[in-house]
Amino acid sequence: MDDAKHGIVSVVPTLGSQMSGENFTTSGVVGIYDKANTLISELQVAEKLWQLGFQHPHDAMFLPNGDLVVCTWGAGCGGQPSEECRHSQYPHVSGVGAGTISYWK
């Protein structure tokens, strides 16, 4: 996409972090990068919307008007993780996944 301020930009979703101290369920973000691969913005998708099943962003795209559509995998808690599941390092080992779509302006 061509941004008025940054020029050509791209969007990159991440499922979540498995680094020590990070919660895989609530760390999924979508980054927006400029043509030099510099992060210029980050949407905290999982941190803000994990309770609704928006946990692991795996696809994202710009719409013609510049808004974003983000698809997420809700994981094994059926998209509604319990507090215990939310705070575990590797939640959602078994069960059905719930996929979600979110729209960002």
Side-chain angles (χ1 to χ4, degrees), residues 7 16 35 42-43 79 87 90 95 97:
K35 64 181 178 181
E42 189 173 74
L43 301 174
H87 293 291
Y90 299 103

Side-chain angles (χ1 to χ4, degrees), residues 57-104:
H58 62 78
D59 285 293
M61 64 182 258
F62 285 109
L63 297 175
N65 67 354
D67 293 350
L68 283 172
V69 173
V70 178
C71 295
T72 60
W73 173 60
C77 290
Q80 299 293 324
S82 65
E83 280 296 311
E84 180 182 10
C85 189
R86 176 179 171 249
H87 293 291
S88 65
Q89 179 60 32
Y90 299 103
H92 316 308
V93 173
S94 61
V96 250
T100 57
I101 297 174
S102 59
Y103 182 86
W104 299 76

Side-chain angles (χ1 to χ4, degrees), residues 28-45:
V29 300
V30 173
I32 299 174
Y33 294 84
D34 67 12
K35 64 181 178 181
N37 294 323
T38 302
L39 180 66
I40 57 174
S41 186
E42 189 173 74
L43 301 174
Q44 301 292 328
V45 176

